[in-house]
Amino acid sequence: ETVGEYIEPHKMPLMTLATTTIDVIDEDPAATVGRVMAYLESDTVCIREGRDGELYDAALIGKQQATEDEEWDVPLHWFEKQFDVKLAISRSLAIEKHSQADTDKVTEWVRNLSLWSLASLEVSTANCKSLVLGACLLDGDLPVEKIRYLAMLEEELQQVDWGMAEGDHDVSKAQMEMWLGASRLFHKIATQG
C-alpha cells in the first residue's frame, strides 16, 4: 500500500519499531530492560484461575482453570526449558514470587539482546502483558495468531459465554496481531541480517 498525502504511523509498525529503537531504546537500554522485566513479576501465563472461586460458579471456574492450564502450559514449558528456569504459578490474589536466580537468568538474556530485538521484545511483551509470550514470539515457534490468542485467553473464554462485541474485540485482535507480527519480523530482520 502506498503512503497517501499524510503519514499514518499506526499503519507502519516496522517504521514505528525502528524509530522507537533509535529515539527511545538507544537513549536508555537499561530502562527498557526494566520495563520488560516488570512483566515477569505478574506474567499473564503465571496468573491462573484460583481453585476456590467463592464468587463464581464452580463449574465455570473449573472449565476456565483447565483451559488456562492446558493452553498456557505450552509457552510456559517452552520458556522454562529455554532459560532453564522454573516460574511460580499463582492461583490467588497473592502473587507468587519467582526465584531471584531465575529472574536473573532471564534479565541477563534481555540485557544481551540487540537494541532492535529489545524493541521487538518490549512491544510484544507489552501487547501480551507477558514476557513469557513475548520471548516465545521472538524465539519460539508458535504462530502469531496463537500467541495473540494466548495473550487474550481470558477474553476469548468470556466471548464463548457472552459473545463478541464487533468493532471492539475484532479490532483489538487485529491490532494486536499486526504488532506481534511486526515485532517477530523486526526481530528476525535484526538477527538474520
Side-chain angles (χ1 to χ4, degrees):
E1 188 176 320
T2 61
V3 176
E5 184 177 345
Y6 299 101
I7 293 175
E8 299 177 74
H10 65 278
K11 292 183 179 178
M12 302 169 67
L14 292 175
M15 184 210 61
T16 301
L17 282 162
T19 57
T20 298
T21 302
I22 294 165
D23 296 339
V24 177
I25 295 176
D26 189 43
E27 290 292 318
D28 192 357
T32 306
V33 170
R35 287 190 304 271
V36 168
M37 288 305 301
Y39 283 95
L40 187 61
E41 190 176 311
S42 60
D43 199 283
T44 294
V45 304
C46 295
I47 310 295
R48 310 278 176 100
E49 185 60 56
R51 298 192 189 278
D52 296 332
E54 298 167 7
L55 301 176
Y56 303 101
D57 181 331
L60 290 176
I61 293 293
K63 181 175 118 182
Q64 182 169 338
Q65 181 180 335
T67 303
E68 287 176 354
D69 290 346
E70 180 181 324
E71 295 285 358
W72 283 337
D73 279 353
V74 173
L76 177 67
H77 292 155
W78 173 87
F79 188 89
E80 289 177 334
K81 183 177 180 185
Q82 182 79 5
F83 296 104
D84 189 29
V85 297
K86 181 69 176 156
L87 298 183
I89 302 298
S90 299
R91 293 194 182 274
S92 71
L93 293 177
I95 296 175
E96 300 286 330
K97 288 214 172 268
H98 308 302
S99 78
Q100 189 60 51
D102 288 346
T103 301
D104 290 346
K105 285 181 188 179
V106 177
T107 303
E108 189 62 26
W109 172 74
V110 174
R111 274 193 196 119
N112 287 323
L113 291 171
S114 71
L115 296 177
W116 309 100
S117 291
L118 185 56
S120 295
L121 182 63
E122 182 175 31
V123 167
S124 59
T125 298
N127 270 276
C128 294
K129 308 293 186 263
S130 170
L131 178 53
V132 171
L133 292 175
C136 191
L137 179 83
L138 266 55
D139 291 335
D141 58 5
L142 290 176
V144 167
E145 297 80 11
K146 181 68 172 184
I147 299 285
R148 196 270 320 142
Y149 170 80
L150 293 168
M152 299 177 76
L153 182 60
E154 291 173 330
E155 190 172 318
E156 293 281 345
L157 294 173
Q158 291 295 319
Q159 287 176 29
V160 169
D161 292 331
W162 303 104
M164 179 177 67
E166 290 186 30
D168 180 38
H169 293 127
D170 53 342
V171 172
S172 64
K173 287 178 186 181
Q175 275 191 315
M176 184 182 285
E177 285 183 15
M178 178 191 71
W179 283 106
L180 295 179
S183 295
R184 176 173 271 171
L185 178 59
F186 198 72
H187 171 68
K188 296 297 181 199
I189 292 167
T191 57
Q192 295 177 0

